[in-house]
Amino acid sequence: MELIDQSPHIRTPIGLAIDHRDQLYVLESHTHQPLSDYSGPAFDQIKKGIDQDLDGRPESWIIYADSIEDGMNIVIDSEEVLYLTEKDKVKSFQDLDGDGKSDVTRLLLDMGVPESVYDHAGILGITIGPDDWLYISRGNTGGQFWEITGTDGKVLNGYGDGGNVFRCRKDGTGLEEIATGFWNPFDLKFTWDGRLILIDNDPDSRGPNRLVEIVPGGDYGYQSLYGGSGIHPFLAWNGELPGTLPYAAAVGEAPCGLIDISQTHLSKEFQQGVLAAIWEENMIVHIPLQKNGSTVKGNPSIVLRGDSTFHPVAMAANSKGEIYLTDWVIRQYPNHGEGKLWRIRSADQMKKWEGPNGVVRFRFGDWGRDMDSADAILKELQSSDVFRNAAARSALRTRTYDEAVLQWIESSNSSVRLQALLAAKEIPLELNASLLQRLLVDEDEKVQKMALIYIATRSRADLLTEVHSLLKKGSVTPALLETYLATIRHLQPAFIAGYIGKLERTSKQLKRSLPEGYLWNIIKDNSIPEALRTAALPFLEVEDDNIEMLINLFDQSSLQMKSNLLQLFRPIDREDLANAILRSAMGPSPAAGFISQALTVLQYQSTDLCSEVTSFLQREDPIVRKAAARYLCRCSKNEITSQAFKDLKEQDEAKQIWLAGTGQLKVIPVDEWAKIPDTLGSASNGRLVFQSTIAQCQICHKAEGWGGDFGPELSNVGNSKTKRQLITAILQPSLEIAPEWQGWFVTTKEGRTYTGRQIDVGFKNVELYLQSGNFETFEAPKDYGLASNSLMPDGLVNRLSVSDFNDLIAFLMTLK
């Protein structure tokens, strides 16, 4: 890797292109939120390198094109026509007289609305396909209505959708959408075998940043209508929702540029795959793209990593396979005038790799190619491969198979019914009310779910009464409840009118409210199955005026409902609530499991109940005594409590919990902790450890429907991690940090430092997602960046007894 040039010759470089004569073109950004005292040019510029001795290091630079605003990316074709994306336009430039400067500028695509859009949420990436069409990516426009017009008058528009990929001919005609469901996809490229690959930044609360393969008609899960968090039952990020597609790889924060390995002469260990520039994490990663059904997957590995002054953006290769790389240098979004241009060359100067047998395919163009009949499409719809399903549904959009779709939607095969319903949603095809009523009570829960989403997104208010009736019929399962509630919100007249009329500037500002008291009516209605009423509890917004009603409900409910109400009560700190929980635990013959859960929730209450809880140490059931001991760790100054523990034998597990929680045990080395867990742990006690204030797990992690979202959800961690991996993750949380859970810090002007999970850097402020579950904005912070350690603190295990740690691991292993 060698430095080719830097400021003042190259300043805030963003886009990069190399023509067939190995001439370099660099897009300099000067209009990206420049500060008032910025001394650079008034417009963005495209500079062309003059390399007279052909050593790949330009001796000088000339301005190829000027008067550019909000430039994002560039690409050049074999005829030396250069194409540029601005955040609201696509243009072409051409040097006709050979003087190195563009003579002709053409506007190909114009995003006339919105009038203003954040730089990274408009038109972004551009590449040229093997079919000689332009392929372009667009961000989510912040949820604003958008409209793009081509030179032939063709129009694409949307309101509340996600970012998308579209294409057009090189003259701006033939504009058409290719795929949707993105956040802000900064770059896209074709691989050696013609796959279209894209990198996408992640929403505020749902990671990771991702690399995906684009399939015609593909939906990748995000819609701006539901806000910036990315969390909503109608959304997906990794193919979690039927009809959406998973990513090929998780990548680091702020991915900017891509290049296919086939264009480079890197050594054989890097063959087949792509390199990605990760701006915020100062690195270039290699992602090998290995076959995975009809698509590809890969795990990134770091090829090179710079210091805090290395912020790579775009990559391009010359005819020798040498990689050139633009570097923003300073970690701040406003233009600052610094910049570097690097070259990466292979030590062995290996010849450019051309792919197997030198054959370059157009894999993107192959999707759906053989689907020329209803029978052929049906065969693909029945595949277990979701990418082939998506291609088949896309084929239905361009052909008149409406009757076949209506026939398939009545199929006895539930997977065919589901795919036909998804096709009807995407075409879109209007389904009659009687058919939708049957789908709402389908035996397949996935069909039910997508029927609800179809009704919601098609604004089928004519079915609102039928949707309401599902609760009484028992057709809504706890797993479907969140989707059901979102559907009710969608079908409210105010939302429908606001969405159709685009009454808010950004779609996410449209209110999607349940009728007043709707959730409370579900929870207190004894005719509704208790499991469903219980499932409604996490969605209830606890307010001061309904806490007393909840306490009354708690006093009158069955143990099962009480058990779930306890979870709802965890963040509520009130003396009357604490006393109600204590009464229930001390009541006539409650089960030991309920008593221990009540004592666990009492740990979150500030009311002093030390003396009362100490009495539970006299109970015979070990799980109750252990739960009491965890509560009593706060009571070391209470004489009754202290004496009670002094009277216990040293080996008593309750006493060991108290000694560990109060810091009275010798710290056990990490390697010794690692040897402790065995197969005999108690998962039921481990659940209480997970929920306790001692272990703090539930504060950040969700499991079994409850908990925080500051850390990864653990509801299926028993499937994804081995016991050894779980032990290591707890004992050494910083040893391996997945990109989507990378921590960040912000230091304020006053010198106070905060840490959080998600970061959004604005013009003069930084927004950080904190453990409290809220975003906090820091105005003009002194510093911010990657946290060096995991957000999960070291040493949490030192407050646990040996048996509690063993039981915690046993519980985590049951989460499948």
Side-chain angles (χ1 to χ4, degrees), residues 1-2 261-271 275 303-304 316-324 342-353:
M1 185 173 178
E2 58 183 318
I261 289 290
S262 68
Q263 297 180 33
T264 77
H265 64 190
L266 296 184
S267 58
K268 290 183 179 179
E269 64 183 290
F270 293 120
Q271 293 311 319
L275 298 180
V303 174
L304 63 90
N318 62 17
S319 63
K320 302 173 185 176
E322 299 170 336
I323 302 171
Y324 286 79
W342 300 90
R343 177 168 63 182
I344 304 171
R345 295 193 288 181
S346 174
D348 59 12
Q349 292 294 298
M350 175 183 164
K351 291 183 179 179
K352 183 178 176 182
W353 185 66

Side-chain angles (χ1 to χ4, degrees), residues 71 191 252 308 393 419 484 503 525 601 661:
T191 63
S308 61
R393 295 195 305 272
Q419 291 298 321
Y484 168 86
L503 299 184
D525 188 345
V601 174

